[in-house]
Amino acid sequence: MSHETGAETKRLIRALKGMSVDQTPIWLMRQAGRYLPEYKKTRAEAGSFLDLCYNPDLAEEVTLQPIRRYGFDAAILFSDILVIPDALGQTVSFREGEGPVLDPITRLEQLDELDTGSVLERLQPVYETVRRLKASLPAETALIGFAGAPWTVATYMVGGRTSSDQAAAKLWAYRAPEAFQKLIDILTEATILHLTAQVEAGAEIVQIFDTWAGSLPEAQFRTYSIAPTKKIIHGLRAKFPGLPVIGFPRGAGALAIDYVRSTEISGVSLDTGMSPAWARDNLQTLACLQGNLDPLLLVAGGAEMREAATRILKALSHGPFIFNLGHGIVPQTPPDHVAELVEFIRAAK
Ligand code: CP3
């Protein structure tokens, strides 16, 4: 990576391009959400969670809420990784206290019923939200678009809900690799369209969430996580050369090296369990690193949180680095602790 000065002014983009920064950029995964009282208020107005995702006025509002409060270096579009199965025509709902519920897809024939031709049309409200955000964000705030990685989205489409072992998707992949690959290919193509539309609408960076990457053995990790991610990035960069892309291959461990090398991703988001020193030594010459404070340290707050943040900064802030969590903010997080963390990172040199 080069260390140019350059004209780019947004810290997050500078870090992803390997340029010097005046301060460590910070944003937090799931920075909009139920830990904020103002989110709960807007969420109640919206009706269902998907109604919120597809309402550009309200989705813009909840995206901006954490920016107003904390002045993060980036806003992340308010949406969800499961808008893709929804746009493909699978029945998706979000139930209070239960998380997402989908009508599971378990047979090859069901793949033919997916409506692959209407994704862009059905997700127009999401792109409208991006356009509005682009116009309303402060000049120094970068705008991140996102999608789930095909493997992670497939685990929900096949399992029908969040599962701790992703057994349904894994068993389909092991028993019928060709059928499962067809689902991965459908999702890869839909994701390229979805992220391209977000960039065209004004997203400056995209993040690909592979939350369940760590449950795959090496061979399947290469086939279902690395290969589709590489295809998505190549598809995007054919249109937008140099587009900064961040990957979150949660739980990939040492396979993160091959993930970064093969996909040519600009940044890699480290999960909570990843050693910052190991990541510095093995990944930071290949990509910008992002992470990786335990979200529960943000719940605990205080000296323990500050000491952990200091250890992360010490290990990683000498190369291209974005401060973040090792996974998303949890609902029980006190908003004051987030303010305390941001102040602490801003004051660190
Ligand atoms: O601030 C942001 O980060 C913005 C948007 C965002 C959401 N989901 C909003 C959301 C993003 C980037 C996501 C990503 C997402 N969604 C992932 C990948 C990241 C990760 O956390 O691992 C996954 C696996 C999902 C799927 C999903 N969506 C689940 C499992 C759940 C239920 C669990 C939960 O946290 O509630 C959701 C719902 C969801 N997505 C909420 C929000 C704010 C809460 C729903 C509500 O308000 O009722």
Side-chain angles (χ1 to χ4, degrees):
M1 303 196 78
S2 60
H3 285 271
E4 339 148 33
T5 9
E8 177 56 55
T9 55
K10 297 183 184 184
R11 284 188 194 111
L12 210 81
I13 300 176
R14 291 186 65 88
L16 286 163
K17 297 199 165 185
M19 299 160 88
S20 60
V21 287
D22 60 336
Q23 273 192 341
T24 300
I26 176 171
W27 70 281
L28 302 178
M29 292 195 279
R30 295 289 199 98
Q31 64 192 21
R34 285 167 300 183
Y35 75 106
L36 291 177
E38 60 269 36
Y39 170 84
K40 282 190 249 181
K41 195 164 164 266
T42 312
R43 169 80 170 76
E45 257 175 68
S48 78
F49 174 70
L50 281 176
D51 287 339
L52 174 55
C53 292
Y54 296 143
N55 182 323
D57 274 336
L58 300 183
E60 178 192 11
E61 165 59 24
V62 292
T63 305
L64 294 174
Q65 286 169 350
I67 306 301
R68 287 189 201 116
R69 253 190 202 253
Y70 306 115
F72 289 121
D73 289 292
I76 182 161
L77 161 71
F78 190 86
S79 176
D80 198 81
I81 66 167
L82 299 179
V83 297
I84 288 289
D86 185 58
L88 287 168
Q90 187 173 13
T91 304
V92 180
S93 63
F94 288 81
R95 296 193 196 144
E96 206 52 56
E98 229 187 303
V101 180
L102 299 82
D103 272 353
I105 290 182
T106 52
R107 289 173 297 106
L108 179 61
E109 309 83 76
Q110 287 173 287
L111 297 181
D112 295 327
E113 291 161 22
L114 292 175
D115 181 8
T116 54
S118 309
V119 169
L120 286 179
E121 194 186 312
R122 294 175 78 150
L123 296 180
Q124 278 308 314
V126 176
Y127 314 132
E128 177 58 24
T129 306
V130 175
R131 276 189 289 275
R132 291 185 191 197
L133 283 165
K134 184 69 183 171
S136 59
L137 277 170
E140 66 275 16
T141 314
L143 179 54
I144 305 174
F146 75 94
W151 160 250
T152 287
V153 175
T155 67
Y156 289 94
M157 292 177 78
V158 177
R161 53 184 61 243
T162 304
S163 88
S164 53
D165 58 7
Q166 294 78 55
K170 285 170 79 171
L171 285 172
W172 202 20
Y174 295 150
R175 287 173 175 152
E178 280 171 24
F180 189 72
Q181 184 64 48
K182 189 172 168 192
L183 173 57
I184 293 290
D185 290 342
I186 289 170
L187 289 171
T188 302
E189 291 313 313
T191 304
I192 293 172
L193 290 176
H194 183 45
L195 290 175
T196 298
Q198 291 179 44
V199 176
E200 282 170 344
E204 301 162 290
I205 297 165
V206 298
Q207 174 149 333
I208 300 171
F209 288 91
D210 212 348
T211 302
W212 301 114
S215 69
L216 292 169
E218 178 169 354
Q220 282 76 17
F221 179 79
R222 292 183 190 284
T223 308
Y224 301 127
S225 177
I226 292 181
T229 301
K230 178 177 177 171
K231 224 174 176 179
I232 291 165
I233 293 173
H234 282 204
L236 289 168
R237 293 219 180 115
K239 229 175 179 169
F240 316 109
L243 178 73
V245 182
I246 306 171
F248 180 46
R250 181 166 163 262
L255 287 171
I257 299 172
D258 286 353
Y259 174 90
V260 172
R261 278 192 196 281
S262 306
T263 60
E264 298 179 75
I265 210 151
S266 331
V268 61
S269 206
L270 311 174
D271 58 72
T272 303
M274 180 74 92
S275 151
W278 185 90
R280 174 194 62 213
D281 295 344
N282 292 280
L283 297 171
Q284 206 167 22
T285 53
L286 305 172
C288 175
L289 300 182
Q290 174 173 282
N292 72 340
L293 187 78
D294 186 347
L296 291 179
L297 276 164
L298 191 55
V299 176
E304 209 54 38
M305 173 183 85
R306 290 193 301 273
E307 282 158 24
T310 301
R311 286 193 294 272
I312 291 168
L313 283 172
K314 261 194 165 156
L316 296 173
S317 64
H318 303 291
F321 177 58
I322 298 161
F323 196 94
N324 206 312
L325 302 176
H327 198 185
I329 293 187
V330 296
Q332 69 266 40
T333 304
D336 286 353
H337 291 184
V338 179
E340 191 191 336
L341 176 68
V342 173
E343 253 172 64
F344 185 73
I345 299 299
R346 293 280 186 233
K349 251 293 154 197

